[in-house]
Amino acid sequence: MTLLRDDDLSAAFDHGSAAYDRLVAASPGYHGHLRRSARRLGLPDGGRGLRVLDLGCGTGASTAALLAAAPYARITGVDASVGMLARAAAKSWPEGVDFVHAPVEELAGRLRPASFDAVFAGYLFRNLADPDKVLDLVRGLLAPDGRLAVHEYTLGGSAVHRAVWNTVCATVIQPAGRLTGDAGLYRHLRRSVLEFDTAPAFARRLRRAGFTDVRVLPLPGWQTGITHTFVGSAGERA
């Protein structure tokens, strides 16, 4: 199977959006881990006066996690899937939360440079055709010394981590996807993780893109060695 990209991936998420919240709610730690990664942005004073960009916001789980960590921040959620974004927008949100339908690659022409104090990206980068290009774009959207947190499936590099991921996919994730009629999307999920960077490799990618103070932080539960938070700073502009 070829990995889904661009319009094909958006269409798969459109179809899968109806069952998505149910499926992730059944995953132990899913929402708690997003909240933990959002807290790792380290936004002061509950985010008061800060603008946060939520890339790949999906049905709004990451947006809710950001609100829990920074309830006073202004948050803009972005997603390429109409179906996922419609589910997010239909939920109840406080003033200061808004949503934009766009592929992340098109944001450079739609958002002002250096207009965000922080960017959060949950389960996004392994789905991109050109993650380096998007990291450059993200750094350009961040204010000097703005913060980035990436919450992503990135295997630790051990054969054990790979084996656990394959077992969970084969026995839980892919069967659930078949039951909801989204087998292709969940086959993509499995392969996208296996073919993406390991955690150390993605940390190196962030540093090559100009991010500083990059740290790789583990998450607990069965996701240990499989899902990580990456945090870094955009640094000063030359």
Side-chain angles (χ1 to χ4, degrees):
M1 173 194 167
T2 302
L3 288 176
L4 299 172
R5 295 296 187 207
D6 302 324
D7 290 345
D8 290 336
L9 183 57
S10 295
F13 273 114
D14 288 345
H15 189 272
S17 62
Y20 195 81
D21 281 344
R22 276 198 319 277
L23 290 178
V24 299
S27 174
Y30 184 92
H31 292 288
H33 289 173
L34 281 171
R35 290 191 294 271
R36 185 181 295 228
S37 289
R39 289 194 299 272
R40 286 168 169 172
L41 271 171
L43 300 180
D45 195 23
R48 197 179 303 275
L50 301 181
R51 289 204 62 190
V52 180
L53 184 61
D54 181 13
L55 292 180
C57 67
T59 62
S62 52
T63 314
L66 286 167
L67 275 174
Y72 305 114
R74 294 177 59 196
I75 300 172
T76 297
V78 176
D79 205 276
S81 164
V82 172
M84 298 287 275
L85 203 62
R87 298 268 169 183
K91 296 173 182 176
S92 178
W93 302 101
E95 187 177 353
V97 175
D98 66 296
F99 295 97
V100 174
H101 172 237
V104 63
E105 294 88 348
E106 296 179 7
L107 292 179
R110 300 181 62 169
L111 299 174
R112 287 187 297 107
S115 57
F116 290 91
D117 303 287
V119 171
F120 187 88
Y123 303 118
L124 172 72
F125 276 94
R126 65 188 162 75
N127 289 315
L128 299 174
D130 191 344
D132 292 321
K133 179 180 178 180
V134 172
L135 283 172
D136 287 341
L137 183 156
V138 167
R139 191 162 177 257
L141 290 173
L142 281 166
D145 291 325
R147 301 287 295 165
L148 170 68
V150 175
H151 177 96
E152 187 58 275
Y153 292 116
T154 44
L155 300 180
S158 160
V160 172
H161 301 149
R162 191 177 182 93
V164 170
W165 174 248
N166 276 321
T167 300
V168 170
C169 285
T171 59
V172 180
I173 294 174
Q174 287 182 263
R178 286 193 292 271
L179 286 174
T180 60
D182 298 302
L185 177 59
Y186 290 92
R187 283 196 303 271
H188 164 86
L189 169 63
R190 180 178 186 170
R191 286 200 55 200
S192 67
V193 175
L194 295 173
E195 296 187 18
F196 190 55
D197 296 346
T198 61
F202 189 67
R204 291 193 294 270
R205 191 189 290 271
L206 288 169
R207 295 185 183 103
R208 287 198 304 271
F211 288 92
T212 61
D213 302 319
V214 173
R215 291 183 297 150
V216 183
L217 303 170
L219 290 155
W222 74 265
Q223 294 92 335
T224 300
I226 293 169
T227 309
H228 296 84
T229 315
F230 301 82
V231 292
S233 169
E236 294 285 348
R237 297 294 184 271

